[in-house]
C-alpha cells in the first residue's frame, strides 16, 4: 500500500505537478493499493491508472464547490441521502482501498468520518421503514467493503428488516483496488442475505487495464450467486476520453457479464478541473460509441447537474424537428428520414 511520498517514489519518478501536491496536499489523502500500483507503467508519465490515483497539485485550485449534488441538504439522517423519490444513497464509510483523484464526494471521502455506526444504521433503517416508497438503496461511501464482515452483517440485516422489498446496490471499487477482500467468509455472508432480496453489484471500472484476471474473478463470485453486475465509468481526460478506449472497455465488460450502465460526465467538484472533459467532446464520443457498440454494450452518458439538479442523460439528438405532419430525423449516417405524426395519412 502506498501512503507517502517516499513509498510512491520507490515506484515512479514524480512529475513537477505531482511533486508539488506534497507541499500543500488537498483534503483527499494519498492511498494506492498494491494491486493498482502494479498496474501503473512507471515508464509512462501519462499512464491512465496513474492519472486516476497519483495526486496532482492542480487539485488544490479552489474552483467550484465541494458538494455540487447538494447531498448535504438532501440528507435525511446522518448518513442517508434521499434525493430521488424512490431511491436513496447510504454513506456506509468515508474509507476506500485507494482514493480516486476524481472522487466527486471529496467533501466526505477520506475525512475520518469513519465506518457507519450501529446507531447510524438504525437511524437509516428507521427512515426506510417509514418511507416504503424507497425501493432501492445504494450502499456507497467511500467503499462499502472496507467495513468489517460483522458490520456488514448488521447493516444487511437492519436494512432487509426495515423493508422486505428493498433492492440493495453494492457500490464498490474494491473489485479493482483490493479483489482479495472477496474471500469465502464475505461471499458466504452476502449469499446468506441474497436469499432475502436482490443485491446488485455496481462497479467503477474506467480503463480496460483495470479489468484484470483478479478483478474478473471477484466479479464472477457475485455472478455465481445470482448477483448481476453493472459498471459506472467516469469520463476522464487522459484516461478514457477516446471512443477507441471506451469501445474496448465496454466490449470487455459485456463479455465478462458486466453491463455498462453509466458513463458519467465528471461532476463540477473542486479539485477535478484538470480531469474534466468538455461536454461537446463527451457527446462526440457518445455518438461514435453508439455506432460501434451494441445496445447491451452501450452505457448511458449522464451528467449530474450542479446545485443538486439531478441526473440527466446526454445523447446526440437525431430528431431535428416537425414539418407538415412529419417528424424529421437525421440518421446516424447523415441522411434524412420522415416519420408521420399521429393522424397523418399517406397521400
Ligand atoms: C445517482 C444517485 C442515485 C441513483 O440514480 P440511478 O439513476 O437510479 O442510478 C440515487 N441517489 C443519489 C443521491 C444519487 O446521486
Ligand atoms: S472509490 Fe468512489 S468514493 Fe472512493 S475515492 Fe474512488 S470515487 Fe471516491
Amino acid at each position: 500500500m502506498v501512503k507517502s511520498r517516499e513509498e510512491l517514489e520507490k515506484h515512479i519518478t514524480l512529475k513537477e505537478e505531482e511533486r508539488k501536491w506534497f507541499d500543500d496536499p488537498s483534503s483527499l489523502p494519498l492511498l494506492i493499493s498494491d494491486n493498482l500500483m502494479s498496474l501503473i507503467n512507471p515508464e509512462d508519465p501519462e499512464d491512465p491508472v496513474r492519472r486516476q490515483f497519483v495526486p496532482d497539485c492542480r487539485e488544490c485550485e479552489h474552483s467550484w464547490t465541494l458538494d455540487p449534488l447538494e447531498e448535504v441538504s438532501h440528507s435525511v439522517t446522518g448518513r442517508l441521502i434521499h434525493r430521488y423519490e424512490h431511491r436513496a444513497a447510504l454513506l456506509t464509510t468515508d474509507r476506500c482501498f485507494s482514493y480516486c483523484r476524481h472522487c466527486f464526494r471529496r467533501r466526505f471521502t477520506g475525512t475520518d468520518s469513519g465506518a457507519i455506526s450501529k446507531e447510524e444504521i438504525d437511524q437509516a433503517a428507521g427512515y426506510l421503514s417509514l418511507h416504503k416508497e424507497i425501493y432501492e438503496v445504494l450502499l456507497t461511501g467511500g467503499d462499502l467493503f472496507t467495513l468489517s464482515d460483522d458490520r456488514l452483517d448488521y447493516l444487511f440485516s437492519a436494512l432487509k428488516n426495515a423493508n422486505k422489498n428493498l433492492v440493495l446496490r453494492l457500490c464498490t471499487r474494491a473489485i479493482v483496488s483490493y479483489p482479495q477482500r472477496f474471500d469465502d467468509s464475505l461471499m458466504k455472508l452476502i449469499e446468506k442475505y441474497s436469499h432475502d432480496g436482490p443485491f446488485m453489484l455496481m462497479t467503477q471500472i474506467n480503463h480496460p487495464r483495470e479489468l484484470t484476471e483478479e478483478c474478473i474473478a471477484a466479479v464472477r463470485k457475485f455472478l455465481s450467486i445470482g448477483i448481476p453486475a453493472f459498471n459506472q465509468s467516469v469520463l476522464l481526460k487522459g484516461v478514457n476520453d477516446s471512443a477507441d478506449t471506451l469501445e474496448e472497455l465496454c466490449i470487455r465488460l459485456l463479455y465478462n457479464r458486466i453491463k455498462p450502465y453509466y458513463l458519467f460526465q465528471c461532476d463540477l467538484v473542486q479539485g477535478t478541473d484538470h480531469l474534466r472533459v468538455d461536454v461537446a467532446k463527451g457527446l462526440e464520443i457518445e455518438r461514435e460509441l453508439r455506432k460501434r457498440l451494441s445496445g447491451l454494450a452501450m452505457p448511458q452518458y449522464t451528467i449530474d447537474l450542479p446545485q443538486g439538479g439531478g441526473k440527466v442523460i446526454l445523447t446526440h439528438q437525431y430528431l431535428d424537428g416537425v414539418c407538415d405532419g412529419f417528424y424529421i430525423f437525421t440518421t446516424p449516417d447523415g441522411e434524412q428520414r420522415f416519420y408521420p405524426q399521429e393522424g397523418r395519412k399517406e397521400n
Side-chain angles (χ1 to χ4, degrees):
M1 222 155 42
V2 167
K3 283 190 279 192
S4 68
R5 177 174 170 168
E6 292 68 35
E7 291 163 318
L8 190 55
E9 286 185 320
K10 283 186 201 149
H11 297 272
I12 57 175
T13 308
L14 294 181
K15 295 185 282 187
E16 173 72 18
E17 57 270 29
E18 292 167 342
R19 201 161 352 99
K20 270 173 67 186
W21 181 84
F22 291 92
D23 300 337
D24 180 21
S26 57
S27 60
L28 189 70
L30 161 67
L31 182 64
I32 309 177
S33 68
D34 294 339
N35 298 274
L36 282 170
M37 207 64 228
S38 72
L39 296 182
I40 297 176
N41 171 7
E43 311 298 325
D44 179 9
E46 304 307 326
D47 183 278
V49 179
R50 177 177 181 152
R51 282 183 76 92
Q52 291 180 71
F53 295 98
V54 175
D56 184 301
C57 67
R58 287 172 289 179
E59 281 171 40
C60 309
E61 288 167 10
H62 287 276
S63 65
W64 312 117
T65 149
L66 274 175
D67 185 18
L69 312 187
E70 298 198 344
E71 293 190 331
V72 173
S73 64
H74 286 105
S75 294
V76 288
T77 74
R79 300 279 187 146
L80 193 68
I81 302 164
H82 191 186
R83 165 67 183 79
Y84 301 99
E85 190 180 357
H86 298 292
R87 53 211 199 274
L90 183 64
L91 305 186
T92 59
T93 174
D94 68 309
R95 303 296 160 82
C96 298
F97 291 104
S98 297
Y99 292 111
C100 314
R101 306 326 299 178
H102 54 270
C103 182
F104 75 102
R105 201 170 274 140
R106 52 207 297 150
R107 66 170 175 90
F108 177 75
T109 315
T111 54
D112 279 335
S113 321
I116 189 167
S117 66
K118 291 185 176 178
E119 293 71 41
E120 288 168 320
I121 292 175
D122 293 342
Q123 284 167 14
Y127 185 87
L128 292 169
S129 67
L130 294 174
H131 289 266
K132 292 276 169 39
E133 74 274 17
I134 299 176
Y135 63 81
E136 260 184 67
V137 177
L138 289 69
L139 303 180
T140 179
D143 200 305
L144 163 74
F145 291 109
T146 59
L147 299 187
S148 67
D149 287 5
D150 278 352
R151 193 58 54 89
L152 287 170
D153 199 336
Y154 191 90
L155 175 69
F156 294 153
S157 157
L159 297 186
K160 301 250 178 191
N161 281 328
N163 179 357
K164 294 278 173 249
N165 298 319
L166 280 184
V167 173
L168 296 180
R169 292 196 206 174
L170 308 172
C171 308
T172 183
R173 250 205 133 176
I175 50 115
V176 177
S177 53
Y178 193 55
Q180 301 89 314
R181 175 71 183 92
F182 303 100
D183 58 12
D184 291 348
S185 70
L186 175 57
M187 294 316 297
K188 269 208 193 84
L189 175 70
I190 294 172
E191 186 172 13
K192 180 175 87 178
Y193 284 104
S194 73
H195 297 303
D196 299 338
F199 285 121
M200 304 284 152
L201 177 68
M202 310 298 296
T203 61
Q204 184 197 146
I205 299 170
N206 294 326
H207 189 274
R209 200 179 315 152
E210 295 164 41
L211 260 177
T212 59
E213 274 177 36
E214 293 80 8
C215 168
I216 292 166
V219 173
R220 283 243 158 144
K221 293 181 185 180
F222 286 86
L223 299 172
S224 72
I225 54 173
I227 299 176
F230 301 86
N231 187 63
Q232 308 188 139
S233 297
V234 187
L235 182 62
L236 295 167
K237 192 183 275 180
V239 175
N240 58 11
D241 57 340
S242 86
D244 288 347
T245 305
L246 286 171
E247 179 189 18
E248 183 190 344
L249 174 66
C250 293
I251 289 174
R252 286 194 53 208
L253 284 168
L254 184 68
Y255 184 80
N256 287 293
R257 303 179 176 90
I258 307 168
K259 162 78 184 110
Y261 176 48
Y262 280 145
L263 171 65
F264 280 121
Q265 172 66 20
C266 199
D267 288 327
L268 211 50
V269 68
Q270 188 174 302
T272 58
D273 289 5
H274 59 296
L275 294 166
R276 200 169 301 122
V277 177
D278 190 75
V279 171
K281 180 167 182 192
L283 277 168
E284 265 317 301
I285 294 173
E286 191 268 353
R287 189 177 178 180
E288 184 60 30
L289 284 176
R290 212 167 270 284
K291 286 191 209 165
R292 298 192 199 174
L293 292 173
S294 77
L296 281 179
M298 183 71 200
Q300 290 185 299
Y301 180 36
T302 300
I303 186 168
D304 224 321
L305 293 171
Q307 294 170 282
K311 288 189 182 68
V312 169
I313 308 285
L314 290 169
T315 183
H316 176 79
Q317 295 301 313
Y318 300 90
L319 177 59
D320 293 330
V322 193
C323 186
D324 282 342
F326 284 93
Y327 297 104
I328 308 166
F329 289 91
T330 303
T331 71
D333 301 320
E335 294 173 12
Q336 262 196 346
R337 291 290 188 276
F338 303 92
Y339 187 97
Q341 285 184 294
E342 189 178 359
R344 167 82 206 202
K345 298 274 182 291
E346 207 175 356
N347 53 20

